Amino acid sequence: MPIWIQLPKLKVEYKSEGSLKKIAGIIGNVIKLDKATRQKTRLRFARVLVEMKINDDFLEEIHFTNVKDELVTQQVVYKRKSIMCTKCNKMGHSEQKCKWNKGKDKAPKKDNRLWKDKDGFQLVVR
Ligand SMILES: [Zn+2]
């Protein structure tokens, strides 16, 4: 599944097509760079289309070593709209962010559900 990723504040020295393919290649196979990234007309971030598998981790940052052998940490932003959740099969979020992950031991809450405890008190569960 192709996903657009953004690499914010990427240093200009890594913005060549070859460097970007290596960096974004950590995430997945690079399909293409967007026009502004290819022409280096956008400074805030680079945008790359990568092929990811549905079960791949959506790494929030990646690490690579540059030509000076320094370790560089690069933030990765995913275009959430193109992400499909494997838990509920909805688009727009990954399974880590899925609401079904939260409180999976609890029963789904229902509004205005009335029940009596053993002392006869009525409680409203909201
Ligand atoms: Zn979900």
Side-chain angles (χ1 to χ4, degrees), residues 59-104:
L59 301 171
E60 279 172 18
E61 52 182 41
I62 51 174
H63 309 274
F64 61 93
T65 45
N66 65 11
V67 286
K68 293 177 219 147
D69 231 17
E70 296 162 333
L71 189 68
V72 179
T73 300
Q74 173 61 49
Q75 193 198 346
V76 185
V77 177
Y78 299 87
K79 213 180 162 207
R80 295 282 170 188
K81 274 182 191 157
S82 58
I83 292 174
M84 200 180 92
C85 176
T86 53
K87 274 226 153 65
C88 64
N89 291 322
K90 282 189 177 143
M91 304 290 287
H93 63 270
S94 63
E95 57 270 25
Q96 288 100 324
K97 295 272 162 78
C98 186
K99 61 179 177 176
W100 299 109
N101 266 350
K102 289 179 197 149
K104 53 189 159 197

Side-chain angles (χ1 to χ4, degrees), residues 43-57:
L43 299 173
R44 282 182 300 121
F45 59 87
R47 206 157 85 97
V48 185
L49 186 66
V50 293
E51 175 68 33
M52 289 184 76
K53 293 188 191 75
I54 197 99
N55 295 322
D56 280 354
D57 289 332

